[in-house]
């Protein structure tokens, strides 16, 4: 069974402008689990769009190290490189974008 045929156990989508990030939990043949993180970027082409994708595979033995390194890196940017930026403004905008994207017009 190849990776595309494997059922997603859990999936979370994060929209970020022209990019979308997908966090998907999948199972191995041995009933173990791993995470794929996919960045999908939309590019105009002709009358439509093409999507460029980059994928990262993260296995359970690396979860804690990955999360720790990611958090340390984000904290460094926020506190050392950009201490004057109000990062709360981005969280509020994302919540509004999510709400607006779920509106349906009839």
């Amino acid at each position: 069974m190849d990776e595309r045929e494997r059922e997603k156990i859990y999936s979370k989508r994060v929209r970020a402008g022209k990019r979308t990030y997908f966090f998907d939990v999948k199972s191995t043949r041995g009933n173990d689990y791993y995470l794929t993180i996919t960045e999908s970027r939309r590019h105009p082409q002709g009358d439509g769009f093409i999507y460029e994708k980059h994928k990262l595979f993260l296995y359970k033995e690396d979860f804690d190290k990955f999360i720790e390194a990611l958090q340390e890196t984000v904290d460094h940017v926020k506190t050392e490189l950009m201490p004057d930026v109000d990062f709360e403004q981005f969280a509020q905008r994302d919540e509004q974008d999510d709400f607006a994207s779920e509106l349906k017009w009839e």
Side-chain angles (χ1 to χ4, degrees), residues 4-21:
R4 285 172 279 152
E5 295 172 350
R6 296 208 170 113
E7 180 182 341
K8 292 179 188 169
I9 308 298
Y10 177 84
S11 187
K12 177 74 177 170
R13 178 179 61 192
V14 177
R15 292 184 183 151
K18 292 183 181 180
R19 294 183 175 153
T20 303
Y21 299 98

Side-chain angles (χ1 to χ4, degrees), residues 26-43:
K26 298 184 180 184
S27 63
T28 65
R29 290 184 189 120
N31 287 330
D32 208 354
Y33 300 99
Y34 63 98
L35 173 67
T36 62
I37 303 170
T38 306
E39 175 199 39
S40 178
R41 293 189 321 174
R42 184 174 75 170
H43 299 284

Side-chain angles (χ1 to χ4, degrees), residues 7-8 12 38 58 68 87 93 98 101-102 104:
E7 180 182 341
K8 292 179 188 169
K12 177 74 177 170
T38 306
L58 188 60
E68 182 179 334
F87 286 94
R93 193 185 86 222
D98 287 345
S101 68
E102 293 182 18
K104 298 201 184 333

